[in-house]
Amino acid sequence: MYTVYVLQDSLGKLYKGMTNDLSRRLAEHTAGGTKTTRFMSGLRVVYSEELSDRLSARKREKYLKSAAGRKFLKNVLNMGA
């Protein structure tokens, strides 16, 4: 099982990724072990989806990074606000 996730920092910036262990990956991000999120503070998971295989998860991650995916996330995240 793979998880596609979106993190948001204290300034509102989003980071999209995928993993097979979300709690481990979040710990890596918050500990500064990831180049992209090293200087982001207050990271929290704002969206996640579980997918059955790596290929499906990678396709979904790429979609969320596309213009259509960013629009989808904007709609989903604003619904909860």
Side-chain angles (χ1 to χ4, degrees):
M1 193 64 76
Y2 285 85
T3 304
V4 175
Y5 62 93
V6 179
L7 302 178
Q8 186 174 35
D9 71 359
S10 58
L11 299 176
K13 184 171 178 162
L14 299 178
Y15 173 87
K16 298 126 190 139
M18 64 171 257
T19 185
N20 60 356
D21 185 348
L22 184 57
S23 59
R24 172 191 53 82
R25 191 67 177 130
L26 184 57
E28 290 173 357
H29 283 299
T30 56
T34 305
K35 183 179 180 180
T36 308
T37 58
R38 181 172 292 140
F39 301 105
M40 296 171 82
S41 63
L43 290 173
R44 62 188 176 98
V45 178
V46 292
Y47 183 79
S48 67
E49 292 180 26
E50 288 195 2
L51 295 110
S52 59
D53 61 280
R54 189 178 194 286
L55 182 61
S56 298
R58 180 66 179 130
K59 285 181 180 180
R60 187 63 176 169
E61 177 191 13
K62 287 181 82 170
Y63 167 75
L64 292 176
K65 291 179 176 182
S66 71
R70 288 191 305 272
K71 186 174 182 180
F72 166 80
L73 283 172
K74 183 177 179 181
N75 289 333
V76 168
L77 297 177
N78 284 336
M79 290 175 83

